[in-house]
Structure formats: structure tokens, C-alpha cells
Amino acid sequence: MMRAALAGVLILTVATGCDNVSWGGASIAIVRPPRQSGTPVTTRRASDEPRGPLVMPTGPVLYHVRVEGGTGRLEPIAEIVSDSLRALQPGQSSTAFADAFIGEHMREGAEFVLFHSGGRVGSFLVQAAGLEGGSACRPLPTATGVLELGPAALGVTEFIAMSRADAPQDIGRANPPAVTRTMSVLGPILAERMMRARRAGLPSDWQRAYAQVRPFPIEGLDNPAFTATFLVGDTLGLGLDDVGYSLFFVAEPVTAGYDTLYVSYRPYPETGKQAPRVIDYLDWNRDGRPELLLRVYGTTDSWLEALGRTRDGRWRRIWEDRCRLPGGAADRPPTLPPTAAPIQPPDTM
């Protein structure tokens, strides 16, 4: 249990109710267990809502936690199925599904382990839950609760989470890789090569188009891999319009530098705005290979996607959660042409 781990470095006195304790620059909130642990939380009901057979997840569920005004908000993402994810399906009755899901997974006092940069950094305790999340076409329950965070989570506002019973027990807190100068320099070079291969218009300054770079470890490799998002005529958030494009790729280290193993090019006039941002990474299916959780922004909505690495080293999109595609366009990221070879880092690095 994460609270037990934190107790190894912290000695805290818990009074009745909720105490906020400041330690080492990190804010840690402790809440007493509910009087009747496991009491299901009541959700809104609609007596005239159609009822049908409920399809409940049978495997571990992946969650996303956001910090909002000092309170944690937990939302289920999908069921973990081998090397993929399976969407949660409320069926004909979203309230019946919410009642059943909350009763089984999100009861008052339920505890979830929080992960950041691949390691355990805290826990989340459910205080209340209801049918207030998901999307218009797939409404899902959400929970609010108390965060118990260690120093490694200082300033972090988003986490990947799993229930305490399902969370990997052998994942500690290793030092996450940092962005290197090689990544910063090679990113624009790789981006320009990929865009030239697609005969797309190039920005005047690739560095200004660099919206995000996120390193992450790869098993068996000394140097980390990294993802990069480039935006032309856009910002990394909701809004603006369907002019411009986004370029996202995953690059892994090779002998001659870095090689791009996954590429997603989204020309907005054809696909509508789709600007991806990496939320975090975690080996949530315990296969030794980290998966990536992304938030993709449109003009009026945003949705989640997940990327995974196959046993032969290829990356693919393993899940997405969007109701509709703009104009009915096929939403499949193109792959890098085989003629694009690894790029040798400049000698000055």
C-alpha cells in the first residue's frame, strides 16, 4: 500500500477528518478511512432509462487522475486486455452501468495507486462518485477524492492510475530520463525529413513548431527513446481552427543516432485539428515495454489515445476514445517511408 511506503519516510499524526501536511515542499493530504469501508456511492438514476444486459470489465482497468483545485478527479479509461485496451461500454443504461461499476471498482474508500514517469508516486482515495464523466456517446462514472502524494509528484497535475489490487507491485520509482540536447537538435531534423517525404509545406522555424518532447526508457537500451510533437499554425490545446497540421513521432536510439518507428501526420484541412500531447508512460500490462497515454486536442473536443510497442519493436496505436471523426475521415496515422534512414547526430553534440 502506498500509504505504508510513505510512512517509511514520513511520521504523520492523523486527526479526525482531513489534515494537510507540508513536508519537503510536497503537499500531502491524509483522510481517515470511511466508517463503513466498501459502501457503494449513490449515483443519479433515471427511472425511465432503458435497461439491458451490462457488460462489465473482467480484467484490470486503467484510470486517469487529474488534480483540480487540490482535489483529485479519477476517470476510468479502458480495460487492459493483453497488449491492447478495450473500451468500457455502458450499453443502453448508463446509470445502471455506473451503479454497477462504482459498486465494484469505485466504492467510497477504494484506493488507487498513482503513477508518474513509470513509477509509483502516491495514491488516491475515493470520497464520492457519480455519473459525470466520459463522453456524450459513452458516459462513464468519475470519482473525486483525496490525494496522498510523495515528493516525486511535486507539481504534477496528471497521473495514470490503477486499483491497488491490480497495480504492478514491482514498479519502483527510478529516476526518469531527461530531455537531452541531442533530442532537441535531432527532433527538428527528423521532422523536416518526414515532412519532405510527404511533400508537405515546411515551417520557417522548426524550433518554434516544437510543442512537446517527452523522453522515456526502453528495456535493453542504455539511452532513452523520446516522442515529439510539432505544430504548424496551431497550439497544444483546444480551439483555433482546422488550418495547419500536426506531426507526432516516436524515436528510439540506434547505433547511428535515432530512428523514427511511429509517425502520425495530421493535415487539418483533411482530418480536422488533431494535436497530440503525451500525458505519461507506464508498463500497465506488465510485458516489459512501456505504453504511452496521449491527449489529442481538437477545435471543440479532446480525447485519449494509447500507443504500444509490439514484440518485434514496432509501435502502433492500440486504442482511441473519440466519438466521431471530422467529416468521416479515416483516422489512421501513416507510417514512415522505408527510405527514411536513421540520422547521424552532428559532431558538435
Side-chain angles (χ1 to χ4, degrees):
M1 186 179 295
M2 194 62 195
R3 284 175 290 174
L6 292 175
V9 294
L10 302 177
I11 301 176
L12 301 176
T13 301
V14 181
T16 302
C18 178
D19 291 342
N20 292 318
V21 181
S22 179
W23 178 83
S27 177
I28 301 189
I30 306 294
V31 66
R32 288 178 63 87
R35 293 181 180 179
Q36 295 181 348
S37 179
T39 303
V41 182
T42 303
T43 60
R44 298 194 306 267
R45 296 178 181 274
S47 58
D48 58 345
E49 187 176 27
R51 299 277 174 168
L54 297 177
V55 180
M56 301 298 294
T58 58
V61 176
L62 193 69
Y63 297 83
H64 177 222
V65 173
R66 293 176 293 172
V67 180
E68 299 179 349
T71 300
R73 181 179 179 87
L74 177 138
E75 300 177 344
I77 297 176
E79 181 183 2
I80 300 173
V81 183
S82 184
D83 60 350
S84 183
L85 294 175
R86 178 183 296 151
L88 302 175
Q89 299 294 343
Q92 294 182 339
S93 175
S94 56
T95 53
F97 180 87
D99 284 342
F101 190 91
I102 290 173
E104 184 174 346
H105 299 280
M106 295 164 58
R107 292 169 177 255
E108 183 181 357
E111 183 176 1
F112 296 82
V113 177
L114 301 178
F115 295 91
H116 176 61
S117 294
R120 291 173 170 237
V121 295
S123 61
F124 173 93
L125 298 175
V126 173
Q127 288 185 315
L131 182 55
E132 298 178 353
S135 58
C137 60
R138 189 159 48 246
L140 295 172
T142 63
T144 56
V146 176
L147 299 165
E148 296 181 4
L149 303 177
L154 180 64
V156 180
T157 59
E158 289 183 287
F159 303 92
I160 293 175
M162 296 179 65
S163 71
R164 183 173 62 86
D166 294 329
Q169 300 297 319
D170 56 348
I171 294 181
R173 177 63 191 177
N175 293 327
V179 177
T180 65
R181 185 169 181 268
T182 298
M183 296 176 187
S184 299
V185 173
L186 281 184
I189 297 175
L190 290 167
E192 182 167 344
R193 170 168 289 189
M194 285 180 280
M195 295 310 296
R196 289 188 183 279
R198 289 162 175 78
R199 302 182 184 278
L202 303 177
S204 58
D205 186 353
W206 276 109
Q207 288 293 343
R208 294 187 62 183
Y210 221 147
Q212 186 196 42
V213 55
R214 185 67 184 267
F216 62 96
I218 291 291
E219 78 288 348
L221 299 178
D222 295 333
N223 295 323
F226 73 95
T227 67
T229 298
F230 291 87
L231 300 177
V232 176
D234 193 17
T235 59
L236 198 57
L238 285 175
L240 294 182
D241 50 36
D242 292 331
V243 177
Y245 64 81
S246 68
L247 175 66
F248 172 87
F249 63 82
V250 178
E252 291 190 8
V254 293
T255 303
Y258 275 88
D259 190 11
T260 48
L261 301 184
Y262 178 91
V263 182
S264 175
Y265 167 55
R266 310 288 177 91
Y268 295 173
E270 300 176 20
T271 67
K273 172 176 175 172
Q274 299 186 42
R277 173 180 67 88
V278 174
I279 294 175
D280 215 334
Y281 61 87
L282 176 68
D283 179 16
W284 57 63
N285 62 1
R286 312 185 202 188
D287 64 352
R289 300 182 294 272
E291 287 78 43
L292 302 174
L293 181 65
L294 281 65
R295 169 75 66 183
V296 184
Y297 297 98
T299 54
T300 60
D301 65 335
S302 69
W303 61 97
L304 297 176
E305 295 184 356
L307 303 180
R309 190 169 180 256
T310 61
R311 294 186 181 277
D312 60 1
R314 292 183 297 175
W315 283 87
R316 65 185 181 93
R317 185 173 54 184
I318 60 177
W319 179 80
E320 68 173 343
D321 183 29
R322 193 183 190 189
C323 297
R324 300 174 299 275
L325 299 179
D331 188 24
R332 288 292 177 268
T335 56
L336 188 67
T339 54
I343 296 179
Q344 178 69 38
D347 295 335
T348 56
M349 282 187 278

